[in-house]
Amino acid sequence: MNFSMRDPVIPGTSMAYHPFLPHRAPDFAMSAVLGHQPPFFPALTLPPNGAAALSLPGALAKPIMDQLVGAAETGIPFSSLGPQAHLRPLKTLEPEEEVEDDPKVHLEAKELWDQFHKRGTEMVITKSGRRMFPPFKVRCSGLDKKAKYILLMDIIAADDCRYKFHNSRWMVAGKADPEMPKRMYIHPDSPATGEQWMSKVVTFHKLKLTNNISDKHGFTLAFPSDHPTLQGIYSFGTQTILNSMHKYQPRFHIVRANDILKLPYSTFRTYLFPETEFIAVTAYQNDKITQLKIDNNPFAKGFRDTGNGRREKRKQLTLQSMRLFEDRHKKDNTTSDESSSEQAAFNCFAQSSSPAVSTVGTSNLKDLCPSEGESDAEAESKEEPGREACDAAKISTTTSEEPCRDKGSPVAHAQRFAVEPCGRPRDSGRLDKASPDSRHSPATISSSTRGLGAEERRSPAREGVGPAKAEEPRALPGKEAFAPLTVQTDVAAHLGQGPLPGLGFAPSLAGQQFFNGHPLFLHPSQFTMGGAFSSMAAAGMGPLLATVSGASTGVSGLDSTAMASAAAAAQGLSGASAATLPFHLQQHVLASQGLAMAPFGSLFPYPYTYMAAAAAASSAAASSSVHRHPFLNLHTIRPRLRYSPYSIPMPVPDSSSLLTTALPAMAAPPGPLDGKAATLAASPASVAVDSGSELNSRSSTLSSSSVSLSPKLCGEKEVATSELQSIQRLVSGLEAKPDRSRSASP
DNA sequence: TCTCTCACTTC
DNA sequence: TGAAGTGAGAG
């Protein structure tokens, strides 16, 4: 492995990298100023307009390009740099004096979400991607007006179950399918100041849901395995890949950072809104959800009952006929349509929200889905008040759930972890998916870059769902009040520990997860420079490798080589030998061995195939719960000190040592971080891991026979159905124009 | 279950 | 005006 200088740096262009690591390359910056060649930077060949060489997904283009422009921190507009531009010294990283912030997040259109949630929200996923409806909108407060924040959203599996819609209700239909590649959606306005964020409703309506695994995606960012909020590889794009018939929970993240590429090092404050949980479907299952969507989504106006269009008239007639039909044939039915079938359809959701309302504040995801053997009677009689009472009972008595309800629900773990720092005794079977009043406040998990000291002091958990608040849940001043759970895990502290904290992982962690284990540091020279973006990233970011993948061009070579290098580094192989491996073999090397591709915040170009392989390897290597549930790590979080001093598996020339050149700031971290680092060792890393006690089956609170009024589901009503069909045909026949005949089946 | 096309809508 | 977002319905 050759770490020595290979090529001269093109003045100007190299400096353009600095926005990515202003805190890491002061030495380099100074050497550049002094006319010294940065010892390891490879040649950078950028087109006259380097930025133009980049192709990024729409939502990412702006923030990324902003980063590339990089004027904010360096004062060097990237786009204005000519090939002969003079280098200017960078500011070394000065730990910013942060104004304390205490972000609070309010879910917009909560009432609408509640309506959907009550019925079991379904979100259609299509190949081309569908938006969420209701749209995910939040309002933020408590931010530092001057500080910059990046707001993100992702969608995680709510549990390990696959669902089916049977007898007008959602039921567990088995184990979940393999997890899809993780996606993260960065709000296109990111980064923006707290003031800007607080001045408006932050909407994520452009996020799309898809089941198309070959969907193009933007760049990828690898988070360290011990990152409290995100682990593994995340693709950043506008589309989130989901599995149909699986339940998901959107998450909202606030990250105080002015650079997207600092995400892996930054504090994540994560907010969960139980009412936004949904099941992904390729076609609507529950008619009530369909109707809710039609009634509320402007784009579906054409399907509304009220209207003057042909469709509306016909539908009105049809519905009228159906109502008459139902009245006639079902008046003997003792089951209430609204109260039974609807409840049955959403009960697996409702249970998740009910606890949120509960003053006890111990909801759990485990209780989200009903087991198949639930009592019909219970569900039949289950109305809102009853449900609450039932939940309350569960809160105090239930510690288990159906087997499928894994103990590692990400949300659940997050919740539990969130509670932990507050000293609240852990109830292994109780997952605080929601705060005591999560209907008004999200569950919040902050993975902070700071120690527990100051952060924890101001932790919303203390204010909200912590033990104290849990005891006085109604202290919240109404809907606008928040009682977020907060977990602060100090990532920055990693940087402040040891010669090269954050660059290695404790051996004990090796193999635990895809990104665990193997200390790995990728020298930029290990990479074959592809596009401008990747070049810059590799050259300037040390272990951070950035590129555009998916739709981008000209980076395939980088993909391959980068991964080979990563594999080589992780295995102690020479980069050259690894790089000679065919791409698919390189993938295999990485995936099959579950190697830690990127040690700490690496930005990689991952072709989907690789990601899939990685995911598969991860799934296989790690327990499913660990893999599927990012928050699980919260329970197995290791003391920050586990970051071992980085060790490169090959000789590193002094003059080009990354330790002294690439990461001087890390080698000699700012003082303030050091102090905090120490506190991390005693951070909630000690949180106990879940026990499996929650896996016990619980008594059903749902009805299995909540009589469905849907004729198509009632075999014994064939005659009646025929009659209805006749009516509908008749109605259809009224149409002068032979519009596409609708199915006669209701 | 899923995908595609269609008619309709918003922006 | 046209791109893009809707659910319905056929296959």
Side-chain angles (χ1 to χ4, degrees):
Chain A
M1 185 60 56
N2 178 14
F3 277 71
S4 62
M5 172 177 62
R6 299 199 302 195
D7 300 290
V9 173
I10 298 173
T13 53
S14 64
M15 293 304 291
Y17 301 165
H18 289 162
F20 295 100
L21 69 165
H23 55 301
R24 286 190 174 190
D27 286 359
F28 161 66
M30 291 312 297
S31 68
V33 171
L34 297 174
H36 301 151
Q37 290 290 353
F40 58 87
F41 280 75
L44 304 171
T45 54
L46 296 175
N49 179 0
L54 298 174
S55 172
L56 294 168
L60 296 177
K62 182 179 180 302
I64 292 299
M65 293 303 286
D66 286 346
Q67 302 306 320
L68 294 177
V69 169
E73 288 192 0
T74 64
I76 306 173
F78 180 81
S79 57
S80 67
L81 290 173
Q84 302 305 320
H86 292 292
L87 297 179
R88 280 188 275 168
L90 285 173
K91 294 185 300 182
T92 55
L93 177 64
E94 298 292 344
E96 294 178 10
E97 189 170 331
E98 293 187 358
V99 175
E100 290 255 329
D101 59 3
D102 184 17
K104 292 177 171 51
V105 181
H106 171 72
L107 177 67
E108 292 288 304
K110 185 186 177 313
E111 295 73 19
L112 187 56
W113 276 106
D114 282 340
Q115 286 185 46
F116 278 89
H117 190 236
K118 243 169 60 177
R119 294 161 175 81
T121 311
E122 296 172 24
M123 295 288 180
V124 170
I125 56 177
T126 67
K127 200 171 180 181
S128 58
R130 281 271 172 138
R131 291 181 174 182
M132 288 176 66
F133 190 87
F136 191 89
K137 297 178 181 177
V138 296
R139 188 179 287 280
C140 302
S141 60
L143 302 174
D144 177 0
K145 286 184 177 180
K146 297 230 167 63
K148 287 206 169 184
Y149 294 87
I150 295 171
L151 270 48
L152 312 93
M153 178 183 169
D154 68 348
I155 299 174
I156 59 173
D159 54 38
D160 267 338
C161 303
R162 180 187 178 84
Y163 290 81
K164 64 180 177 184
F165 194 72
H166 185 60
N167 285 340
S168 295
R169 67 193 188 110
W170 284 104
M171 308 171 72
V172 173
K175 195 96 178 140
D177 294 338
E179 196 175 23
M180 292 296 190
K182 289 174 284 192
R183 294 287 181 92
M184 180 69 71
Y185 177 76
I186 301 177
H187 192 284
D189 292 345
S190 300
T193 63
E195 186 169 25
Q196 291 173 309
W197 288 124
M198 291 187 291
S199 69
K200 62 187 176 185
V201 172
V202 181
T203 174
F204 289 87
H205 65 280
K206 286 185 178 174
L207 171 67
K208 288 186 174 183
L209 312 179
T210 184
N211 56 353
N212 184 11
I213 58 175
S214 61
D215 166 65
K216 294 172 182 175
H217 57 276
F219 67 90
T220 58
L221 192 61
F223 288 78
S225 61
D226 62 340
H227 191 284
T229 305
L230 310 176
Q231 294 87 32
I233 306 168
Y234 275 79
S235 269
F236 290 75
T238 57
Q239 304 217 24
T240 291
I241 307 173
L242 306 177
N243 275 319
S244 183
M245 313 304 275
H246 288 63
K247 190 184 290 181
Y248 291 96
Q249 170 68 61
R251 295 191 302 182
F252 172 64
H253 311 277
I254 295 178
V255 181
R256 184 169 179 156
N258 55 10
D259 187 321
I260 288 171
L261 298 175
K262 290 177 184 170
L263 285 177
Y265 310 89
S266 303
T267 297
F268 269 68
R269 290 185 172 91
T270 300
Y271 300 81
L272 300 175
F273 299 92
E275 55 269 64
T276 60
E277 187 180 61
F278 65 87
I279 287 182
V281 297
T282 55
Y284 286 120
Q285 308 292 309
N286 185 352
D287 292 342
K288 290 184 169 56
I289 291 298
T290 307
Q291 198 56 47
L292 264 180
K293 298 243 183 185
I294 290 173
D295 291 343
N296 293 282
N297 192 331
F299 286 105
K301 259 185 182 175
F303 301 101
R304 290 182 186 171
D305 294 346
T306 57
N308 297 323
R310 251 188 19 252
R311 240 174 188 164
E312 289 77 6
K313 283 182 179 174
R314 187 176 68 172
K315 186 162 187 176
Q316 280 182 318
L317 288 170
T318 303
L319 289 173
Q320 198 171 7
S321 300
M322 289 176 69
R323 290 196 191 97
L324 288 172
F325 164 80
E326 289 181 355
D327 287 344
R328 242 173 57 201
H329 293 274
K330 300 185 179 181
K331 56 187 174 185
D332 290 338
N333 195 323
T334 58
T335 301
S336 162
D337 184 11
E338 288 301 311
S339 63
S340 62
S341 67
E342 179 174 298
Q343 179 71 47
F346 68 73
N347 52 13
C348 75
F349 286 87
Q351 289 191 39
S352 70
S353 61
S354 294
V357 189
S358 163
T359 57
V360 180
T362 55
S363 71
N364 60 352
L365 270 185
K366 303 185 298 114
D367 294 333
L368 292 184
C369 56
S371 63
E372 306 232 5
E374 288 167 333
S375 157
D376 295 346
E378 279 182 310
E380 298 263 346
S381 62
K382 199 170 164 189
E383 294 294 336
E384 286 291 339
R387 216 168 359 120
E388 194 158 356
C390 179
D391 285 2
K394 286 191 296 180
I395 287 164
S396 60
T397 62
T398 304
T399 59
S400 62
E401 194 47 49
E402 59 198 86
C404 183
R405 181 59 68 184
D406 75 294
K407 44 196 160 190
S409 168
V411 177
H413 277 283
Q415 298 298 113
R416 270 178 292 189
F417 184 75
V419 172
E420 200 67 18
C422 302
R424 180 194 204 167
R426 174 182 303 285
D427 180 348
S428 62
R430 235 350 88 190
L431 306 182
D432 293 319
K433 166 166 185 170
S435 62
D437 195 358
S438 71
R439 290 205 149 224
H440 304 158
S441 60
T444 304
I445 301 89
S446 278
S447 52
S448 170
T449 57
R450 303 161 192 81
L452 287 176
E455 283 290 339
E456 195 181 23
R457 244 185 296 116
R458 68 183 190 221
S459 166
R462 294 285 170 109
E463 307 160 4
V465 205
K469 279 294 167 71
E471 300 303 325
E472 46 181 38
R474 291 293 80 88
L476 297 172
K479 277 195 170 184
E480 299 304 319
F482 308 97
L485 290 165
T486 300
V487 172
Q488 309 279 8
T489 52
D490 200 326
V491 174
H494 298 207
L495 301 175
Q497 295 175 358
L500 279 175
L503 296 181
F505 297 91
S508 62
L509 301 174
Q512 178 181 359
Q513 206 174 347
F514 181 72
F515 278 92
N516 275 356
H518 316 279
L520 169 61
F521 192 89
L522 302 179
H523 190 282
S525 66
Q526 289 178 279
F527 299 87
T528 298
M529 294 303 138
F533 193 83
S534 55
S535 296
M536 291 188 296
M541 299 174 65
L544 287 172
L545 308 174
T547 189
V548 181
S549 60
S552 66
T553 59
V555 294
S556 60
L558 175 63
D559 290 352
S560 169
T561 309
M563 286 185 292
S565 300
Q571 301 172 78
L573 300 174
S574 76
S577 63
T580 59
L581 291 172
F583 177 58
H584 67 281
L585 291 182
Q586 295 164 9
Q587 291 182 331
H588 178 72
V589 166
L590 292 171
S592 65
Q593 299 185 16
L595 292 178
M597 271 289 298
F600 194 83
S602 295
L603 192 60
F604 275 129
Y606 288 114
Y608 170 72
T609 49
Y610 169 69
M611 298 180 65
S618 178
S619 296
S623 69
S624 64
S625 60
V626 169
H627 176 62
R628 292 190 64 84
H629 308 303
F631 284 118
L632 184 57
N633 274 2
L634 294 175
H635 296 272
T636 57
I637 269 186
R638 286 73 58 182
R640 298 308 177 199
L641 290 172
R642 78 182 184 288
Y643 276 117
S644 59
Y646 169 71
S647 63
I648 301 177
M650 68 285 287
V652 180
D654 291 342
S655 62
S656 62
S657 170
L658 290 169
L659 306 183
T660 59
T661 304
L663 300 166
M666 297 180 70
L673 291 180
D674 284 331
K676 291 182 178 181
T679 62
L680 290 179
S683 72
S686 59
V687 169
V689 179
D690 290 279
S691 71
S693 63
E694 60 200 60
L695 295 182
N696 304 329
S697 63
R698 63 174 174 81
S699 63
S700 166
T701 59
L702 305 173
S703 165
S704 65
S705 78
S706 46
V707 178
S708 165
L709 294 185
S710 174
K712 66 185 174 186
L713 297 177
C714 302
E716 72 277 13
K717 295 173 181 164
E718 286 178 2
V719 176
T721 301
S722 294
E723 185 175 344
L724 174 59
Q725 289 174 342
S726 297
I727 294 172
Q728 289 185 308
R729 283 192 210 101
L730 179 61
V731 171
S732 297
L734 296 177
E735 303 271 350
K737 194 174 180 178
D739 191 4
R740 278 186 308 147
S741 63
R742 291 181 166 228
S743 168
S745 63

Short mmCIF file of all heavy atoms in Angstrom, two decimals, chain A residues 472-492:
data_model
loop_
_atom_site.label_atom_id
_atom_site.label_comp_id
_atom_site.label_asym_id
_atom_site.label_seq_id
_atom_site.Cartn_x
_atom_site.Cartn_y
_atom_site.Cartn_z
N GLU A 472 -46.18 12.20 35.94
CA GLU A 472 -47.08 13.34 35.88
C GLU A 472 -47.33 13.69 34.42
O GLU A 472 -47.01 14.77 33.96
CB GLU A 472 -46.48 14.53 36.59
CG GLU A 472 -45.02 14.74 36.22
CD GLU A 472 -44.42 15.91 36.96
OE1 GLU A 472 -44.77 16.08 38.12
OE2 GLU A 472 -43.67 16.66 36.37
N PRO A 473 -47.86 12.75 33.77
CA PRO A 473 -48.02 12.89 32.32
C PRO A 473 -48.91 14.05 31.93
O PRO A 473 -48.78 14.57 30.86
CB PRO A 473 -48.63 11.56 31.91
CG PRO A 473 -49.31 11.06 33.13
CD PRO A 473 -48.50 11.56 34.28
N ARG A 474 -49.79 14.41 32.72
CA ARG A 474 -50.72 15.44 32.29
C ARG A 474 -50.19 16.84 32.58
O ARG A 474 -50.90 17.80 32.50
CB ARG A 474 -52.07 15.26 32.97
CG ARG A 474 -52.79 14.02 32.48
CD ARG A 474 -53.17 14.18 31.02
NE ARG A 474 -52.09 13.93 30.11
CZ ARG A 474 -51.78 12.76 29.64
NH1 ARG A 474 -52.45 11.71 29.98
NH2 ARG A 474 -50.78 12.63 28.80
N ALA A 475 -48.96 16.87 32.91
CA ALA A 475 -48.39 18.18 33.17
C ALA A 475 -48.22 18.94 31.88
O ALA A 475 -48.01 20.13 31.89
CB ALA A 475 -47.06 18.03 33.88
N LEU A 476 -48.29 18.21 30.81
CA LEU A 476 -48.10 18.87 29.53
C LEU A 476 -49.25 19.80 29.24
O LEU A 476 -50.41 19.45 29.41
CB LEU A 476 -47.98 17.81 28.43
CG LEU A 476 -46.78 16.92 28.60
CD1 LEU A 476 -46.85 15.78 27.59
CD2 LEU A 476 -45.51 17.71 28.43
N PRO A 477 -48.91 20.93 28.78
CA PRO A 477 -49.93 21.94 28.51
C PRO A 477 -50.63 21.74 27.19
O PRO A 477 -50.57 22.56 26.32
CB PRO A 477 -49.12 23.24 28.52
CG PRO A 477 -47.77 22.82 28.03
CD PRO A 477 -47.57 21.42 28.54
N GLY A 478 -51.27 20.69 27.05
CA GLY A 478 -52.09 20.51 25.87
C GLY A 478 -51.35 19.96 24.68
O GLY A 478 -50.26 19.43 24.79
N LYS A 479 -52.02 20.08 23.58
CA LYS A 479 -51.52 19.41 22.38
C LYS A 479 -50.16 19.90 21.95
O LYS A 479 -49.42 19.18 21.31
CB LYS A 479 -52.51 19.61 21.24
CG LYS A 479 -53.65 18.63 21.28
CD LYS A 479 -54.37 18.65 19.96
CE LYS A 479 -55.36 17.50 19.87
NZ LYS A 479 -55.99 17.46 18.56
N GLU A 480 -49.91 21.12 22.21
CA GLU A 480 -48.66 21.64 21.70
C GLU A 480 -47.49 21.26 22.59
O GLU A 480 -46.35 21.59 22.31
CB GLU A 480 -48.74 23.17 21.59
CG GLU A 480 -49.82 23.60 20.64
CD GLU A 480 -49.62 22.99 19.27
OE1 GLU A 480 -48.47 22.92 18.80
OE2 GLU A 480 -50.61 22.59 18.64
N ALA A 481 -47.81 20.63 23.63
CA ALA A 481 -46.73 20.26 24.53
C ALA A 481 -46.00 19.05 24.00
O ALA A 481 -46.54 18.23 23.30
CB ALA A 481 -47.30 19.96 25.91
N PHE A 482 -44.79 18.98 24.35
CA PHE A 482 -43.99 17.84 23.91
C PHE A 482 -43.34 17.21 25.12
O PHE A 482 -42.95 17.87 26.04
CB PHE A 482 -42.91 18.29 22.95
CG PHE A 482 -43.44 19.10 21.82
CD1 PHE A 482 -43.40 20.46 21.88
CD2 PHE A 482 -44.01 18.47 20.73
CE1 PHE A 482 -43.90 21.21 20.85
CE2 PHE A 482 -44.50 19.22 19.69
CZ PHE A 482 -44.45 20.60 19.75
N ALA A 483 -43.24 15.96 25.01
CA ALA A 483 -42.55 15.25 26.07
C ALA A 483 -41.65 14.21 25.45
O ALA A 483 -41.80 13.04 25.65
CB ALA A 483 -43.56 14.60 27.00
N PRO A 484 -40.78 14.66 24.63
CA PRO A 484 -39.96 13.71 23.89
C PRO A 484 -38.99 12.97 24.78
O PRO A 484 -38.44 13.53 25.73
CB PRO A 484 -39.22 14.58 22.88
CG PRO A 484 -39.16 15.91 23.54
CD PRO A 484 -40.41 16.04 24.36
N LEU A 485 -38.82 11.77 24.42
CA LEU A 485 -37.80 11.00 25.08
C LEU A 485 -36.49 11.32 24.38
O LEU A 485 -36.44 11.41 23.18
CB LEU A 485 -38.09 9.51 24.92
CG LEU A 485 -39.28 8.99 25.70
CD1 LEU A 485 -39.67 7.64 25.17
CD2 LEU A 485 -38.97 8.92 27.15
N THR A 486 -35.50 11.45 25.13
CA THR A 486 -34.24 11.79 24.49
C THR A 486 -33.13 10.89 24.98
O THR A 486 -32.99 10.64 26.16
CB THR A 486 -33.85 13.24 24.81
OG1 THR A 486 -34.88 14.08 24.31
CG2 THR A 486 -32.54 13.58 24.16
N VAL A 487 -32.40 10.45 24.03
CA VAL A 487 -31.22 9.69 24.36
C VAL A 487 -30.04 10.40 23.75
O VAL A 487 -30.02 10.67 22.57
CB VAL A 487 -31.30 8.27 23.79
CG1 VAL A 487 -29.96 7.58 23.98
CG2 VAL A 487 -32.39 7.51 24.48
N GLN A 488 -29.15 10.72 24.53
CA GLN A 488 -28.00 11.42 24.02
C GLN A 488 -26.81 10.48 24.02
O GLN A 488 -26.44 9.95 25.03
CB GLN A 488 -27.67 12.62 24.89
CG GLN A 488 -28.87 13.50 25.14
CD GLN A 488 -29.15 14.42 24.00
OE1 GLN A 488 -28.54 14.33 22.94
NE2 GLN A 488 -30.06 15.34 24.19
N THR A 489 -26.28 10.29 22.89
CA THR A 489 -25.09 9.48 22.80
C THR A 489 -24.03 10.30 22.13
O THR A 489 -24.25 10.87 21.08
CB THR A 489 -25.35 8.22 21.99
OG1 THR A 489 -25.92 8.60 20.76
CG2 THR A 489 -26.25 7.30 22.74
N ASP A 490 -22.96 10.37 22.72
CA ASP A 490 -21.96 11.29 22.27
C ASP A 490 -21.08 10.72 21.19
O ASP A 490 -20.24 9.89 21.42
CB ASP A 490 -21.10 11.71 23.45
CG ASP A 490 -20.41 13.00 23.13
OD1 ASP A 490 -20.07 13.18 21.95
OD2 ASP A 490 -20.22 13.79 24.04
N VAL A 491 -21.33 11.17 20.02
CA VAL A 491 -20.52 10.73 18.90
C VAL A 491 -19.26 11.57 18.79
O VAL A 491 -18.18 11.09 18.52
CB VAL A 491 -21.31 10.79 17.59
CG1 VAL A 491 -20.41 10.47 16.42
CG2 VAL A 491 -22.48 9.83 17.65
N ALA A 492 -19.43 12.82 19.04
CA ALA A 492 -18.28 13.69 18.94
C ALA A 492 -17.21 13.26 19.91
O ALA A 492 -16.03 13.40 19.68
CB ALA A 492 -18.69 15.12 19.23
#
